[in-house]
Amino acid sequence: GDSNQVDRALNDSDARIRLVALRATRRYGYDLLSSVEALIGDPSPLVLRECATALRTLTGSSRGARAWAQLAKRHVAGDRWSLEGLGIGSDLNRERCFDFWMQANDGQWNTPAGREIVWRLKTPKCLPLLAKIIASPETEQAERERCFRAFDFFSGPEKDRALLSLANVDHADRSTILALALKHLERPAPKDDPKIEAIIDELLLSSKGTKAFLTLVQSYRLSESRQDVLDMALAHLSDSLGYEAIRVLVELNQGDELLDQTFENADRILQSRLTNLIGSSRSEKAANIVLERAIDPSVSADQRLEMVRALNTTSTGARGILGYMELDEYPKDIWNETVDILVTCAYANVVDWA
């Protein structure tokens, strides 16, 4: 624990000894900051990482932030351990660390190593820089998505301002960028904001017929788009996009009514395909539309049994049928055939009852 021994160890030729000496400085309450400053030029990444993490204890220290900035200048892109060490060391002194880092690099932050620090340094001052990285045509998709995820660590008006600055982005992948910007806004997002409304309108037009369109309609509950969602369901009667469209549709205002009306007016073939689609959607609201007709004696027995087979593929549908049977409110003319169908159900409690 002798301070002279620790000082000698800080200058040892073995990086492991220098690292232990730095830890000893922390443990025994010696001048930690002076030790870190002495090691800023150290050739060992291991020692530099230890210096960065040691600075975490110097909360609010300008001198500590200045030392951190010098360590950040030595960060090499791709060294995730160095990056995490810098992140840990800055977490309780972020704003000062950012300011001194920008001074240290003369504002030339946009390098591979600098972009990694912007991503990791969780200060609102980094938000406009994250937006610039996202907007750059030179940014790879993986880095762009990583920068968007960094927004999840922030909240407040600075976050939304940075995301909405992307409204004017000139990029070949503009639609994807705008969709992600909307996704990461604070909830509930102000749909009546003219800038957001303009982005939504543009995205609805460019993404129609895709999963991104459904995500947008669902996120902002755009009930005025329910016909477009229904059209998607009808265009994808046998695939997952159709199932998703049904789930989104019935959650919209008057969406279940539109589906009900469409089912009512459909011919036998379309009703059959819609029945299977609704059954596969695993939507309780959608299943109820079919269930009401499955117990309607005015519908032919063959059609009702077809509906029962589709409903039997889902927990909601099978239990719905079972509920009517337990209340003895199920049509007797298809009772036995329905029991035969229910015993093939994947849900044990339904099979046990049947």
Side-chain angles (χ1 to χ4, degrees):
D2 183 86
S3 62
N4 291 328
Q5 289 180 328
V6 171
D7 288 341
R8 285 195 297 272
L10 287 170
N11 293 292
D12 195 275
S13 60
D14 189 332
R16 292 170 296 179
I17 299 298
R18 298 195 300 275
L19 184 145
V20 170
L22 183 59
R23 291 179 178 173
T25 301
R26 296 170 62 183
R27 178 176 179 179
Y28 295 112
Y30 299 148
D31 189 348
L32 175 62
L33 188 47
S34 292
S35 297
V36 169
E37 289 171 338
L39 293 171
I40 284 175
D42 198 284
S44 167
L46 194 65
V47 172
L48 294 177
R49 184 172 76 242
E50 189 69 22
C51 286
T53 56
L55 291 173
R56 180 180 177 87
T57 61
L58 304 177
T59 308
S61 167
S62 293
R63 185 180 162 197
R66 189 178 290 109
W68 182 93
Q70 294 302 317
L71 291 168
K73 280 186 68 177
R74 299 203 57 196
H75 171 65
V76 177
D79 187 342
R80 62 190 183 95
W81 295 111
S82 164
L83 185 63
E84 186 57 23
L86 289 166
I88 292 170
S90 67
D91 274 344
L92 303 179
N93 201 15
R94 295 167 183 166
E95 281 68 30
R96 282 191 175 91
C97 286
F98 176 85
D99 292 340
F100 280 108
W101 176 62
M102 290 295 279
Q103 289 177 21
N105 61 36
D106 295 322
Q108 304 302 309
W109 61 271
N110 197 2
T111 64
R115 290 195 295 274
E116 289 185 352
I117 290 173
V118 167
W119 172 82
R120 179 58 180 86
L121 192 56
K122 300 296 188 291
T123 169
K125 293 179 179 180
C126 285
L127 290 171
L129 306 187
L130 286 170
K132 287 182 179 179
I133 296 171
I134 290 167
S136 172
E138 298 175 1
T139 301
E140 297 288 337
Q141 180 180 344
E143 184 179 10
R144 189 168 67 232
E145 292 176 353
R146 187 165 60 248
C147 287
F148 266 120
R149 289 194 295 272
F151 278 91
D152 293 337
F153 292 91
F154 297 91
S155 60
E158 299 99 333
K159 172 182 177 178
D160 282 359
R161 275 198 297 271
L163 287 167
L164 290 176
S165 72
L166 294 167
N168 300 317
V169 67
D170 183 11
H171 198 286
D173 209 7
R174 174 179 167 83
S175 293
T176 300
I177 290 174
L178 292 181
L180 286 169
L182 282 182
K183 178 182 177 181
H184 288 276
L185 285 172
E186 292 289 292
R187 289 288 186 264
K191 183 182 169 238
D192 55 351
D193 182 310
K195 186 175 285 189
I196 293 178
E197 191 173 9
I199 293 174
I200 290 174
D201 290 344
E202 179 180 340
L203 286 176
L204 286 174
L205 190 61
S206 64
S207 66
K208 187 174 289 188
T210 69
K211 183 173 176 59
F213 177 86
L214 294 177
T215 300
L216 187 63
V217 170
Q218 184 179 43
S219 296
Y220 286 86
R221 304 193 65 80
L222 304 175
S223 297
E224 61 272 23
S225 296
R226 55 184 173 270
Q227 183 62 54
D228 291 323
V229 175
L230 174 63
D231 291 343
M232 279 186 66
L234 296 176
H236 296 272
L237 286 165
S238 57
D239 62 48
S240 60
L241 200 56
Y243 312 154
E244 181 65 22
I246 289 293
R247 286 193 291 268
V248 172
L249 177 61
V250 295
E251 295 302 325
L252 297 175
N253 183 34
Q254 298 181 346
D256 53 344
E257 296 173 21
L258 178 61
L259 180 60
D260 185 60
Q261 182 182 4
T262 302
F263 195 93
E264 179 71 28
N265 295 332
D267 59 32
R268 174 76 181 270
I269 294 175
L270 180 56
Q271 272 197 355
S272 175
R273 298 190 69 186
L274 268 175
T275 296
N276 291 323
L277 179 67
I278 289 170
S280 300
S281 74
R282 301 185 183 278
S283 164
E284 184 173 354
K285 282 188 177 181
N288 285 336
I289 292 173
V290 177
L291 186 57
E292 288 174 6
R293 287 172 173 76
I295 62 171
D296 183 353
S298 67
V299 178
S300 73
D302 287 345
Q303 278 184 282
R304 281 182 283 147
L305 288 172
E306 190 173 358
M307 294 175 191
V308 169
R309 291 187 189 94
L311 291 169
N312 192 49
T313 62
T314 70
S315 171
T316 297
R319 291 190 175 109
I321 294 169
L322 191 59
Y324 280 105
M325 297 183 87
E326 287 177 331
L327 294 172
D328 201 25
E329 295 177 358
Y330 194 78
K332 296 297 186 290
D333 63 324
I334 59 170
W335 183 285
N336 292 335
E337 292 89 341
T338 298
V339 171
D340 291 339
I341 294 170
L342 290 178
V343 296
T344 67
C345 183
Y347 303 97
N349 61 332
V350 175
V351 174
D352 291 344
W353 184 93

